[in-house]
Amino acid sequence: MKVYYANHPDDAKKYTTEELRKHFLKEEVFLADAIELAYSHVDRIIFGGAMPVERELKLEAGDELRAEFFLQRRELGIINIGGGGTVVVDGTVYELERRDALYIGMGSRDVVFASKEAANPAKFYLCSCPAHRTYPTKKIGYEDANHKNLGSVKEINKRQLNQYLHPDVLETCQLSMGMTCLEEGSAWNTMPSHTHERRMEVYMYFDMDEDTRVFHMMGQPNETRHIVMKNEQAVISPSWSIHSGVGTKNYTFIWAMCGENQDFDDMDNLSMDDLR
């Protein structure tokens, strides 16, 4: 599990391109027959991927948590972006097809991932944060998510917002999670930009062609930077940073947030004149 330490904005604005990528970007999320995780000191979020191909994969706590089991003091959100698969939680089997999600509450001991077909393996994207109480484990199928249509063709940002782990869908301690899908011909997400000092966020971009790239915008509004990202990579957005992206083609991304509250609209909105 790679550890990412918190970064002060005064330091981050001096980083080179390689330093920005080192401190904020996770370049590999899915590895065959492995659980690949990252631990960020920003609100203690853990994110990454589980990609079972030839064998089942069990979620372990690791030395970073110093816990008896991974979810001893944590909650977990999962969205499958690959082929069909199963997640077994303390003996209960949950089947997740592409774009289905699962919330697992604090205290669940055994979490095991498997694919239905090795030729088309599941890709389980995981996000976890500290929890203070146990909420029930629950599957959220794509059809069960809260869907919102946003943007327009004129603004090249026509997209569908899909809220999975959200107060209108189910209760969690602090983890929010969803997926935004840009339509063909659209390129921008979240512009004009915003920050939210009370929460951090992680983006994971996917559904991209091999030569498609997203220019992910970050930094304080008056000190913006960018990271060039390709398919199935994730990036950390501290609370002081904007988080917008523009692609060379349309794309999809999963967003996950944790922090002081779960109010999706609790944003510090910016105007275009605020950006530098």
Side-chain angles (χ1 to χ4, degrees):
M1 193 184 302
K2 181 178 178 181
V3 176
Y4 291 78
Y5 290 95
N7 306 84
H8 194 282
D10 287 348
D11 297 325
K13 69 184 181 181
K14 302 171 187 175
Y15 289 163
T16 65
T17 297
E18 287 306 310
E19 287 171 329
L20 282 174
R21 297 176 71 87
K22 174 184 175 182
H23 291 299
F24 298 101
L25 177 67
K26 182 163 179 54
E27 296 196 61
E28 291 185 312
V29 174
F30 298 104
L31 297 175
D33 284 325
I35 298 178
E36 179 67 21
L37 298 177
Y39 183 111
S40 172
H41 279 251
V42 181
D43 285 314
R44 303 282 173 175
I45 196 167
I46 293 175
F47 62 97
M51 184 179 171
V53 181
E54 301 293 344
R55 62 187 182 89
E56 296 180 344
L57 301 175
K58 183 176 180 180
L59 186 62
E60 305 283 1
D63 291 339
E64 292 81 5
L65 298 186
R66 295 289 174 91
E68 291 182 40
F69 50 95
F70 189 92
L71 293 175
Q72 185 176 9
R73 297 182 295 271
R74 287 182 160 269
E75 59 185 354
L76 174 66
I78 302 167
I79 299 178
N80 181 15
I81 68 166
T86 60
V87 183
V88 182
V89 183
D90 291 340
T92 300
V93 180
Y94 297 89
E95 294 193 6
L96 268 62
E97 299 299 329
R98 178 174 170 81
R99 300 196 174 186
D100 287 344
L102 181 68
Y103 171 77
I104 306 178
M106 182 183 73
S108 299
R109 282 184 168 269
D110 294 319
V111 180
V112 180
F113 303 96
S115 292
K116 292 183 179 180
E117 299 179 11
N120 184 26
K123 292 182 177 180
F124 299 106
Y125 182 65
L126 319 177
C127 286
S128 171
C129 60
H132 61 273
R133 62 161 292 179
T134 299
Y135 286 106
T137 295
K138 182 179 179 181
K139 176 183 173 180
I140 311 99
Y142 175 76
E143 67 280 359
D144 301 318
N146 193 23
H147 307 290
K148 295 184 177 181
N149 293 315
L150 304 173
S152 69
V153 173
K154 182 179 179 179
E155 296 170 307
I156 59 171
N157 68 351
K158 192 174 182 181
R159 62 202 189 274
Q160 184 181 63
L161 176 72
N162 307 282
Q163 296 168 328
Y164 289 88
L165 274 61
H166 182 275
D168 291 341
V169 180
L170 82 167
E171 288 186 292
T172 68
C173 290
Q174 62 164 321
L175 182 61
S176 298
M177 199 170 176
M179 178 176 65
T180 300
C181 310
L182 273 70
E183 294 195 8
E184 186 174 355
S186 288
W188 277 103
N189 72 70
T190 323
M191 182 59 69
S193 297
H194 62 259
T195 59
H196 27 70
E197 283 288 345
R198 293 147 298 280
R199 293 175 296 164
M200 64 85 65
E201 195 159 3
V202 175
Y203 278 6
M204 195 278 289
Y205 293 97
F206 67 104
D207 277 355
M208 295 162 56
D209 294 336
E210 185 176 348
D211 60 349
T212 297
R213 294 294 183 270
V214 170
F215 287 70
H216 179 82
M217 310 299 173
M218 63 164 296
Q220 290 181 297
N222 63 343
E223 283 283 352
T224 59
R225 302 291 187 269
H226 73 267
I227 296 177
V228 180
M229 298 179 61
K230 60 182 181 180
N231 191 43
E232 296 179 357
Q233 293 185 333
V235 63
I236 300 166
S237 297
S239 58
W240 48 262
S241 177
I242 67 168
H243 34 284
S244 299
V246 61
T248 56
K249 286 180 66 177
N250 61 313
Y251 53 89
T252 303
F253 67 99
I254 292 173
W255 43 267
M257 295 181 283
C258 62
E260 290 294 335
N261 62 47
Q262 295 177 301
D263 183 357
F264 186 83
D265 294 321
D266 180 16
M267 304 170 184
D268 301 311
N269 290 306
L270 304 167
S271 73
M272 298 301 278
D273 287 337
D274 293 322
L275 301 179
R276 294 290 186 271

